[in-house]
Amino acid sequence: MRPNSTKDRFLAGKPIVNGWLSIPSSYAAEVIARQGFHAVTVDVQHGMMGFETAMSMLQAISSTDATPMVRCPSLDEPTIMRLLDAGAYGVICPQIDNADMAARFVAACRYAPEGNRSFGPARGPLYAGPDYFEQANHHVLALAMIESQAALDNLDAILATPGLDGIYVGPNDLALSLGMKPGAETGGIVAEAIARIVAATRARGLLAGIFCASSALARQRLAEGFHLVTPGNDANMLGLVCKARIEETLAGQSAPAAGATAGY
């Protein structure tokens, strides 16, 4: 089976930079995946795509060296299994608040006897190889999102879930759950909660991932001990680059005087 290079980087102690896709375009997915991201995640929860588009985006990512991953829309086992059949090598599942939910999530990602994933000879073996069924349990990453007070209360039990590869912090929903506003993750009770999460995750030898608003914050999170960081999503990056190009183009230009005409 084709190895999971993101899992290999984690085991080797190397940082993982993860791309994040919310725009429903396989072309954009391929362009972003070719920029050097170690993994690229198709966001089926808050992204603007359905299953068919998500699959085409996974196909585009699969033409690159980046690991194709997804964020599923919810803890819905059939949807998780279908996204894995489409070729996802890792699943980030939102709103995992307790150990029972974590166990259900892991079971959906694993074939028997480790789980209850249904077998369908779909796209997985085409991308991964003919021994996909025998090796998928070892290679597919299952990352539970920690993004609520309930998840914090049950953190140790969630991390103890057999077969769970790690966690992924959703800082904005975590902030909301703690009574703060989105974007409040760099100070106060939210920062304290994030520090607790990464420490507990590393203590168990599991992968710790987090979404970041910028590359500067992503660097900070790596220094704090996170293994996988996402420095923004595609829509945010596109907007920032477009704004910067406009500002660079108009730099030093003065507005024409009233009534002036262009010099054609």
Side-chain angles (χ1 to χ4, degrees), residues 32-250:
I32 289 171
R34 289 195 179 277
Q35 301 313 306
F37 287 105
H38 304 117
V40 176
T41 298
V42 180
D43 183 4
V44 191
Q45 182 190 22
H46 289 303
M48 302 294 106
M49 74 286 292
F51 174 79
E52 288 77 10
T53 301
M55 187 180 75
S56 69
M57 294 168 73
L58 289 170
Q59 289 174 309
I61 298 166
S62 298
S63 70
T64 76
D65 292 333
T67 302
M69 296 177 54
V70 296
R71 175 163 70 170
C72 59
S74 65
L75 179 55
D76 178 71
E77 288 91 332
T79 298
I80 292 170
M81 296 178 195
R82 197 177 185 204
L83 289 166
L84 288 170
D85 284 347
Y89 253 43
V91 180
I92 298 171
C93 187
Q95 299 175 317
I96 298 298
D97 290 338
N98 55 54
D100 177 68
M101 297 175 75
R104 287 174 52 200
F105 166 52
V106 171
C109 294
R110 309 288 186 236
Y111 292 123
E114 298 173 38
N116 56 24
R117 180 183 172 188
S118 177
F119 176 74
R123 186 174 171 268
L126 291 177
Y127 169 65
D131 59 343
Y132 179 81
F133 173 75
E134 291 80 10
Q135 301 294 329
N137 284 357
H138 173 71
H139 288 283
V140 168
L141 285 170
L143 304 179
M145 288 198 72
I146 305 297
E147 50 185 348
S148 70
Q149 179 65 64
L152 286 174
D153 294 340
N154 297 304
L155 181 60
D156 291 339
I158 292 171
L159 294 174
T161 303
L164 185 70
D165 292 295
I167 59 88
Y168 188 88
V169 178
N172 290 321
D173 280 339
L174 180 61
L176 288 172
S177 182
L178 296 176
M180 306 298 288
K181 294 181 179 180
E185 71 267 27
T186 57
I189 59 174
V190 184
E192 293 171 3
I194 291 173
R196 177 189 162 199
I197 293 167
V198 68
T201 304
R202 291 184 64 93
R204 291 214 175 242
L206 301 179
L207 186 156
I210 188 169
F211 190 90
C212 307
S214 67
S215 55
L217 184 54
R219 286 195 304 272
Q220 175 185 323
R221 296 306 188 196
L222 288 174
E224 292 170 353
F226 280 93
H227 306 97
L228 180 151
V229 292
T230 305
N233 68 15
D234 53 352
N236 174 261
M237 292 179 186
L238 177 62
L240 289 174
V241 170
C242 288
K243 184 177 181 180
R245 288 291 178 92
I246 294 169
E247 292 175 348
E248 291 167 4
T249 300
L250 295 178

